[in-house]
Amino acid sequence: GRDFQLNHAYASPGTYQVLTAVENSEGRDFSEVEIHVISLSPTVGVVVGSTVAEGVDLSATITITDPSARIDLTGDDWTYFADWGDGSSEQFSPSVNNSTTATAILTHSFDDPDDFDFEVRVTDADGDESTPTSDTIAVTNVIPTIDEINITASLGEGDFTVVSASASDPGKDRLTYLWNFDDGSPVQQGAVIKHAFPDDADYDVTLTVIDEN
């Protein structure tokens, strides 16, 4: 006898009847085998930075692989879901596809410093869900920036003046403005302050801006 080996890959799960036939000068013989093809879940790979400052865009590259070679970019049969761990999530569609592998690049910025678990899940047309793939992202705090200070450089003792300032924070934190007027008075809080100096002298006014972190 002679042995033969044939290789074939099924694109879809299901039950298939395989018919083989052997023929020689004396006749022909047939054999039938039933093959059950099971569905496999897609696999997901994530490449994302482990550290980023608050308010700065972070990119994540997601690679999706499916052995059935039936990745659907339209999203009608497949679902692609990303959870950034900070309360925001999104559905997405891969941007590059060669039937077995798809790639997507997602961008996100975090408003607050903390450690966040970024997770991606993909469900294929057969309803099989990938094992959730996650990475931890450490978001660091950024100190606020004082953009402008408005203050009168010269005035009489006892005369009230209004000082004001504006500051910004990339993480959208709530900001606290603290004024030290260098005249023995208590530190005052607020972006706009009305103040009078008790005596004639030179004073070094100090503004400190603190974010909520």
Side-chain angles (χ1 to χ4, degrees), residues 43-114:
T43 59
V44 178
V46 174
V47 177
V48 64
S50 59
T51 304
V52 68
E54 61 176 347
V56 176
D57 284 341
L58 176 70
S59 294
T61 300
I62 301 167
T63 302
I64 304 155
T65 304
D66 187 79
S68 67
R70 294 184 300 122
I71 293 180
D72 178 16
L73 291 181
T74 67
D76 293 337
D77 297 322
W78 286 59
T79 58
Y80 310 90
F81 181 80
D83 187 337
W84 290 96
D86 61 349
S88 60
S89 60
E90 60 183 295
Q91 287 192 340
F92 65 93
S93 294
S95 57
V96 179
N97 175 256
N98 63 2
S99 78
T100 59
T101 302
T103 303
I105 298 177
L106 306 182
T107 302
H108 184 71
S109 63
F110 296 87
D111 290 339
D112 296 299
D114 205 340

Side-chain angles (χ1 to χ4, degrees), residues 157-185:
E157 63 176 328
D159 292 339
F160 280 99
T161 184
V162 175
V163 297
S164 63
S166 61
S168 57
D169 184 271
K172 302 178 183 178
D173 292 333
R174 182 179 65 254
L175 301 179
T176 300
Y177 297 76
L178 301 176
W179 298 86
N180 185 338
F181 290 99
D182 192 34
D183 58 1
S185 62

Side-chain angles (χ1 to χ4, degrees), residues 1 6 42 56 64 68 85 102-103 112 121 137 147-148 151 153 167 208-209 211:
L6 301 176
V56 176
I64 304 155
S68 67
T103 303
D112 296 299
R121 297 192 301 274
I137 302 169
D147 300 316
E148 184 180 17
I151 188 169
T208 302
V209 178
D211 64 21

Side-chain angles (χ1 to χ4, degrees), residues 1 24-25 27 32 46 51 67 73 78 80 95 105 113 116 123-124 134 140 150 154 156 159 164 187 189 196 205:
N24 62 17
S25 59
E32 188 173 24
V46 174
T51 304
L73 291 181
W78 286 59
Y80 310 90
S95 57
I105 298 177
F116 299 96
T123 304
D124 65 17
S134 62
T140 59
N150 298 302
S154 178
D159 292 339
S164 63
V187 172
Q189 178 177 324
V205 179

